[in-house]
Each structure stands twice: as structure tokens, then as C-alpha cells.
Amino acid sequence: MNILGISCYYHDAAAALVQDGTLVAAAEEERFNRKKHDPGFPKLAIDYCLAEGGITREQIDHVVFYEKPFVKFDRILNMYTFTWPHSMVSFLKAIPLWLKDRLWMRTDIQKSLEMPDKEILFAEHHMSHAASAFLVSPYEKAAILTLDGVGEWTTTGRGYGDGNQIHLEEQISFPHSIGLLYSAITSYLGFRVNDAEWKVMGLAPYGEPKYVDQFAELVDMKPDGSFRLNMKYFAHHWSSKRMFNRRFERLFGRPQRLPESELEDFHRDIAHSGQKIVERIIVNLARATHEKYGLDDLCIAGGVGLNSVANWRILKETPFKRVWIQPAAGDSGGAVGAAFFVWNTLLGNPRTYEMRHAYLGPEYSNDECEAVLKARNIPYEKHDRDALVKESAKHVADSKVIGWYQGRMEFGPRALGSRSIIANPMNPEMKDIINAKVKFREKFRPFAPAVLLERAHEFFEMDEGLELPYMLMVPKVRAEVRDKIPAVTHEDGTGRVQTVTRRDNALYYDMIEEFGKHSGVPVVVNTSFNVRGEPIVNTPENALNCFLKTGMDVLVLGNCIVDKSRIEGDLV
Amino acid sequence: MPEYKSKFMRRWMAIVRPIGVFQTYLIMTVVYVLIVPFFSLKRIVDPLRLRLRGDTYWEPRKKQEDLTLERYYKPF
Ligand SMILES: [Fe+2]
């Protein structure tokens, strides 16, 4: 049986295909149409999923959308009605759009799929999130938290999963939302909402907790884990553009930072204090959830689940023994969750699939990679597997910046060794080098380490054998090795680890191992293969273009290695 | 639709489309200014939870008994 999950029309549109209970393909639309965070109907991602599953449209048994549009419309109507007259501009912008398009979503999806008679299923937004975490997790029974901006009405959900059933028992409703609070901080700091939340987390360690009292004024927390925002300070319940109001600015004593203007200590302190408050809400929530259900395991999804610092604190500071987080925790993962909700919960099939990696996107063969190089007259060297591993590791050791393009593309916001830029973590200059040559990111943003699973505990303060395959946790770098891997040690002495296993990514594993053999450090810098403002590369063509456009030194494209220094000047 | 592509139709649409857009906004503005306030007057209800009080901010979710495809074909 083929079930197609779709999420779109907010941001990060995506599609996923579940065949007889196995996730065979999942991808974000942005990777195909090259528009970052594209919210439109994920036509290309769907085409890809069907091709990967080897089926035609007619063979899709069920199509499921990740939320209930009418319930969302109810929330939007209420927002604008009950905040009259503030909401006028947003009302005039949103309502015609809803009346014209969004309310006809069923027809719209049918039309876009070119299947006018196909019935479309609609799962609830938070059920999709919950399913994307629990139903593909390793646990038979576990507590579930969905931590989000907002879905229809729900912003936060709590419950448990048991077998193929999900019991989401309680919720916190709009406008009280951790995700929207975080977006308010993001926006106040002059970063782009729904895009640059990472920056707040990256900036936080550089500041001091000077404003936690003010943030405490914004949030009220209860011992049972629930919370409420003090809506006197916010604007997201009446505006589609503004997250906070003037009173918010007065509380902190400064207006919103202008984008691209100088970052001052004040902004670092706000980031630090804001991150601290959000961690406090999340840890409180997790602790209370453990108390309520008494289960050892916890599943998390929803955009806030990408807050890796908070995630690590849940694991360290609450009685939960294990935590599994959907790597595509944001709305793109809703496509996966919705499809499994149908397969397991609605159709009653037992759970047989565990999501052990995120390599769910398109793959291009070595021949296809080579053809791209040939067509563009790029000089390259072709290697067998052994030589490819050795040669790549040698480039890492030589502190080259390497585009690493292998296997199936990752699903979710992180590059995990398929579409990655890798580099030497031992070189203290490496962060600046990568930034100057390729990424052009703000100085304060950290680069993450990819480390062999068996060796991870030697470098990071984590238990031996603990799998962190998705860069969703941030343990401390062990003090004694900190100066060995300066390029991946963040300001506060932590690292957003990816543990690598041979089981899930053999070539990547072998390359890191090879580098480790000579350096004693089986760790590489891993950052996503893209330039600032663009989605991660998908095709070999994308990878080559990105390589040529930037100062990257080496491109490992399938089994071919391209050395930039050997390319004639005018090609670059 | 070949007629639609005719010169006349294209010109005609160029004239009436802005009128249509203008009308949409006109009607919407009237609705917003005159009709929405009446609903907004019912401030006794608090759908936006602006006056949440009490020992907890959790709301129980209705247990979904009807776990069938038919139920989930509905967009609400
Ligand atoms: Fe969401």
C-alpha cells in the first residue's frame, strides 16, 4: 500500500512516501526548485517520491495532508475578530487569500496532483508531529511532546504513544507558544523569523543572563509543565508580520535591532537570556511530563525540537532515560508523520519501521556525477572506494575545504554526510577559513563535529554508545581534548555532535576513520553544502555550481575528486 | 481557451482585473470595519485565551474516538 504525505502552504513544503509501512522517500521542495523554505505545493518533491517508490500517481492508495485547514481558518478568523481594530491590515491580507485559495485546499491538492477524484485525508497538525516522532521511534511505549510555533490552534501537545496508537491528551493553545516566543526573540534581534532561529541559539553563549527577569515577566510557568505568555507584550495574535509590540521593546529598553547592523553586547545578552528562559520552559515541561506518565522514553517533534541545547538539557536534567527527536522536527516532518498516522493509527497496521537515518532523498550514481563533470570539461580524478577514502581524508588533513557529495540526500534541515562540507577540526583557523571561502556566515555561529560513534565519548561528555545521528543534541566537549578540536568547539565549550556509524553511512564513516588513523582524531567539521541564503544542494549539477562559485578547495562528487587548483582560471 | 487569448479579452481583463481586486479590498474593508466589531463585542468569551487564569494552562484534548478514514476525509 502506498501512502503519500504532504505538508505545505506555511513554510518548508515537503512530501513523503510510505510503502507498506516503510518510509521509502522524503524530501523538501526547496531542494528541487531551489527556493529556500519554499511553502508552495511540493510538486517536484512528490514526483521524486513516486519515482523513488517506483509507482505512478494512480498507484497511490491514500493522500494525506498534514493539517486541518478549516480548523486553522477558525483560528485565523478568531485572531482577527477578537483583536479588532489592530488586526485590520493582516485581516485584509489574509482573508481574501483564505477565501480564494486555502478553503479550497482539497480541490487545490486534487488539481495539483492531477487526480480530481482522489479523496484527500487531513490529519491534525500536532498529530502529524506526534506521529512523526513516536511512530518511527524505537520505543514501544513513550511519552510524547510536540513543541511548536502553532498548528491549527495547538502550539504544544502532550501525551503518550502505545503500539500503533497515539494519545495526545492535553494541549496549550494559541497564542501561548514556545515557538512564537522564540520567533519574537529572533525578530527582536533583527534576524529573519522562520529562518534564523539558529542564530539566536548560536549567539546565546556569547552573552550574559542579564535579562532573565524581564523574560520571566513574559512567561508564566506552572509546576505541571504548562505555561502562558503575557500577551500584553506580543503582537502575533493580531499581526501576520509583527511578533511583539512597543511595550516589549520598552521592557528591554531598546528598539528592535536593524538587520545587518552591529551586534552589541546587549543583543548577545538578550539571546542568552531568551534562550535560557526557553530552556527553562522546556525542561519544566519535560520534567512534569515524566512525572505524569512515569515512562522512561520521550519522543519530541515540532519546530522547537530543533533547539539542540534544550534537548540536551532534557536528556541530562530530567529523569527520561532516552529521548528520540524527529530530525525533520519542523513542518516538513509533518508529511512523514501524517503518512504514518494513516498507516499505523487509522488503518491499524503494526509498526515495523524505525527511522534510523535521514538519508531519504534523491541519489545520483557515480556515472551521473562523472557525466556532469565531463559535460562541463572539469578535470577530475576517478578513484576506487579505497583510494577515494584515503584521498579525501588526506585533503581533510591538509586543511582543505571539501565539498562531500555522496549517496542519498538528507531529509530535514541538517546535512549529515551526504551533502556536506567537511574540513579539519584540529585547525584553529578552520572556522574562519570556511566562512571566508564558502559560507560567509556570522562569526558567532558554530560549526558542528561529525565523530565515529565508538569514539564519541572520548571527545564529548556523553555515554559510550549513545547515538546522536541528527545533530539535535549539544554535549560538552571534554576539557582535555578541547584544544584538539577547536574548530568545532563552541564558545561555551560544547559541540553539536553527529555520531556516525558504518551501518548508516559506510563511506562517510570510513573517511572519518581514515582521517582519525593519522591524526588521532576521528572527527571532521561538518556543515551543510550550500552558500548562505540558498538551500542545500541536491543534484551533482547543484554541487558543482556551488563548488565553482565559492572558494571551496576540493569536490568529492561520487567517486570523482575535483581539485580546484587544477581548474583553468576562466572556468571558476 | 483561444478567445481568452484574443487581444480584446486581454485588454478587457487588464481593465476589469484591477477593479475586481479593488472591489475585493473594498468589500473586505467594509466587512472589517462594520461587521467584525459586532462579533468582537462578545468579549465574554475568550477564544484567544487572553485572560487565562488558574492552576494550569493545559486544556484537555477531546479523545478522537472515530479513528476512521471517513472521519479524516474532513478538513475540519
Ligand atoms: Fe508545526
Side-chain angles (χ1 to χ4, degrees):
Chain A
M1 174 176 281
N2 301 306
I3 303 173
L4 178 70
I6 297 175
S7 74
C8 59
Y9 298 136
Y10 183 43
H11 52 93
D12 296 316
L17 180 66
V18 172
Q19 285 186 315
D20 298 323
T22 297
L23 182 56
V24 295
E28 285 96 350
E29 183 72 2
E30 61 159 28
R31 307 288 167 87
F32 299 92
N33 67 11
R34 310 307 299 156
K35 290 186 211 152
K36 207 175 183 194
H37 301 305
D38 184 53
F41 188 81
K43 186 180 176 309
L44 300 170
I46 292 171
D47 288 345
Y48 156 68
C49 286
L50 299 184
E52 186 72 49
I55 59 168
T56 60
R57 284 184 152 56
E58 291 66 40
Q59 288 169 286
I60 305 174
D61 295 282
H62 299 289
V63 177
V64 56
F65 188 70
Y66 82 127
E67 64 181 9
K68 291 205 176 270
F70 282 35
V71 185
K72 193 168 184 173
F73 184 59
D74 175 61
R75 192 243 304 162
I76 287 176
L77 270 184
N78 272 288
M79 274 167 70
Y80 297 149
T81 309
F82 284 86
T83 55
W84 192 90
H86 298 286
S87 51
M88 174 127 173
V89 175
S90 301
F91 175 91
L92 289 180
K93 240 173 41 194
I95 300 299
L97 178 74
W98 274 88
L99 294 179
K100 198 170 133 282
D101 292 334
R102 299 287 166 82
L103 288 179
W104 313 102
M105 203 170 285
R106 185 206 311 263
T107 326
D108 191 50
I109 295 173
Q110 289 166 333
K111 227 196 267 168
S112 304
L113 280 174
E114 295 160 41
M115 303 173 80
D117 301 320
K118 187 84 198 163
E119 281 289 356
I120 310 293
L121 291 153
F122 296 91
E124 294 134 309
H125 189 113
H126 276 252
M127 191 52 100
S128 298
H129 277 318
S132 79
F134 175 69
L135 293 176
V136 297
S137 77
Y139 318 134
E140 182 54 28
K141 195 169 178 184
I144 301 173
L145 280 175
T146 57
L147 311 170
D148 207 7
V150 59
E152 296 94 357
W153 272 102
T154 311
T155 68
T156 310
R158 169 160 96 167
Y160 66 98
D162 187 0
N164 57 9
Q165 294 301 310
I166 291 173
H167 308 271
L168 261 192
E169 300 189 309
E170 291 162 298
Q171 69 178 47
I172 289 168
S173 300
F174 184 86
H176 307 288
S177 158
I178 310 172
L180 295 174
L181 168 64
Y182 212 82
S183 293
I185 302 167
T186 307
S187 162
Y188 183 58
L189 289 175
F191 302 131
R192 203 137 36 108
V193 167
N194 284 336
D195 176 44
E197 276 75 2
W198 309 107
K199 294 187 187 173
V200 179
M201 203 166 63
L203 190 60
Y206 293 89
E208 306 277 334
K210 280 187 190 159
Y211 297 93
V212 275
D213 289 345
Q214 281 89 330
F215 274 108
E217 160 78 11
L218 296 179
V219 189
D220 183 34
M221 269 177 268
K222 299 286 190 197
D224 67 357
S226 63
F227 63 89
R228 177 196 72 176
L229 298 184
N230 189 341
M231 294 311 296
K232 276 198 319 207
Y233 294 96
F234 293 90
H236 60 255
H237 56 310
W238 57 262
S239 170
S240 53
K241 257 202 155 143
R242 296 187 52 117
M243 302 299 302
F244 54 85
N245 60 22
R246 283 218 190 90
R247 207 176 280 137
F248 184 101
E249 292 175 313
R250 275 203 297 273
L251 179 70
F252 294 106
R254 284 242 214 151
Q256 181 178 22
R257 173 180 164 263
L258 292 174
E260 308 299 324
S261 69
E262 192 70 38
L263 273 169
E264 300 166 32
D265 283 343
F266 170 76
H267 303 116
R268 291 181 260 275
D269 296 341
I270 288 287
H272 187 103
S273 313
Q275 169 70 23
K276 275 278 141 359
I277 274 293
V278 166
E279 287 170 25
R280 215 183 268 173
I281 304 173
I282 295 173
V283 170
N284 181 47
L285 189 51
R287 202 175 274 140
T289 302
H290 182 271
E291 206 164 283
K292 174 162 178 174
Y293 293 108
L295 295 163
D296 285 338
D297 303 319
L298 173 66
C299 295
I300 297 176
V304 179
L306 297 171
N307 195 308
S308 42
V309 178
N311 293 341
W312 182 246
R313 285 192 58 187
I314 293 179
L315 191 60
K316 287 277 100 175
E317 297 174 30
T318 73
F320 280 113
K321 292 206 176 92
R322 297 188 296 172
V323 179
W324 196 89
I325 302 162
Q326 165 59 241
D331 283 355
S332 59
V336 170
F340 276 99
F341 174 72
V342 173
W343 172 254
N344 293 127
T345 309
L346 288 189
L347 299 174
N349 292 299
R351 289 163 54 202
T352 50
Y353 172 81
E354 185 191 326
M355 188 168 169
R356 303 194 72 147
H357 59 76
Y359 308 116
L360 295 161
E363 175 168 23
Y364 293 84
S365 68
N366 287 335
D367 291 344
E368 287 169 292
C369 290
E370 193 179 352
V372 168
L373 297 174
K374 270 200 178 132
R376 303 269 291 266
N377 275 325
I378 306 285
Y380 62 90
E381 268 171 33
K382 204 161 133 181
H383 295 282
D384 64 19
R385 194 179 184 284
D386 244 23
L388 191 80
V389 164
K390 287 212 168 89
E391 203 51 33
S392 304
K394 199 173 138 290
H395 284 303
V396 175
D398 292 342
S399 284
K400 297 277 168 57
V401 178
I402 300 146
W404 176 260
Y405 181 98
Q406 300 291 340
R408 293 186 69 178
M409 185 179 71
E410 301 86 347
F411 178 54
R414 292 290 184 211
L416 299 164
S418 281
R419 306 286 185 271
S420 287
I421 291 172
I422 54 170
N424 189 343
M426 305 174 74
N427 183 341
E429 311 293 320
M430 208 63 229
K431 227 174 110 168
D432 294 335
I433 296 175
I434 300 174
N435 267 328
K437 286 187 170 171
V438 194
K439 299 288 275 196
F440 314 109
R441 303 208 298 198
E442 294 86 346
K443 266 211 158 70
F444 60 83
R445 292 179 65 191
F447 285 109
V451 54
L452 302 186
L453 174 67
E454 299 78 12
R455 305 283 304 277
H457 62 284
E458 297 170 28
F459 293 86
F460 302 93
E461 291 180 12
M462 55 191 270
D463 293 343
E464 189 172 349
L466 173 67
E467 287 202 46
L468 304 174
Y470 302 123
M471 293 188 175
L472 287 166
M473 299 269 183
V474 187
K476 277 226 171 326
V477 180
R478 289 195 188 279
E480 61 273 24
V481 298
R482 236 168 248 182
D483 48 355
K484 269 196 197 160
I485 47 172
V488 291
T489 304
H490 198 23
E491 181 70 10
D492 55 355
T494 62
R496 196 175 54 222
V497 173
Q498 176 197 5
T499 58
V500 181
T501 59
R502 187 173 271 132
R503 179 196 69 211
D504 295 325
N505 195 338
L507 193 68
Y508 194 41
Y509 182 97
D510 289 345
M511 184 271 297
I512 300 172
E513 188 181 39
E514 175 70 22
F515 172 68
K517 257 187 221 156
H518 302 286
S519 64
V521 177
V523 183
V524 295
V525 180
N526 168 21
T527 182
S528 53
F529 196 153
N530 62 330
V531 284
R532 197 176 169 186
E534 274 183 25
I536 297 176
V537 299
N538 173 14
T539 63
E541 192 84 51
N542 297 154
L544 179 62
N545 288 338
C546 182
F547 171 71
L548 293 176
K549 211 160 68 176
T550 63
M552 235 178 280
D553 301 305
V554 176
L555 174 65
V556 184
L557 194 70
N559 62 350
C560 301
I561 297 187
V562 183
D563 192 330
K564 179 87 55 70
S565 61
R566 295 205 202 137
I567 300 180
E568 298 294 320
D570 53 341
L571 248 175
V572 183
Chain B
M1 261 187 279
E3 313 101 293
Y4 182 80
K5 283 190 179 149
S6 78
K7 241 187 193 168
F8 171 76
M9 266 315 267
R10 254 187 290 148
R11 278 194 198 145
W12 177 245
M13 287 313 285
I15 299 164
V16 293
R17 190 165 290 137
I19 299 176
V21 172
F22 176 74
Q23 273 184 351
T24 306
Y25 282 103
L26 189 72
I27 295 168
M28 284 297 152
T29 307
V30 170
V31 167
Y32 189 77
V33 173
L34 296 179
I35 301 178
V36 169
F38 286 99
F39 291 97
S40 141
L41 282 177
K42 306 190 317 187
R43 300 235 174 177
I44 328 142
V45 286
D46 183 25
L48 285 186
R49 284 105 170 147
L50 298 177
R51 300 191 299 264
L52 274 190
R53 298 258 179 291
D55 299 331
T56 183
Y57 303 125
W58 286 117
E59 299 169 21
R61 282 171 70 96
K62 239 195 274 146
K63 197 167 170 5
Q64 187 52 267
E65 306 282 357
D66 192 9
L67 285 171
T68 59
L69 292 173
E70 284 62 41
R71 172 66 191 87
Y72 281 86
Y73 285 135
K74 296 181 180 148
F76 48 85

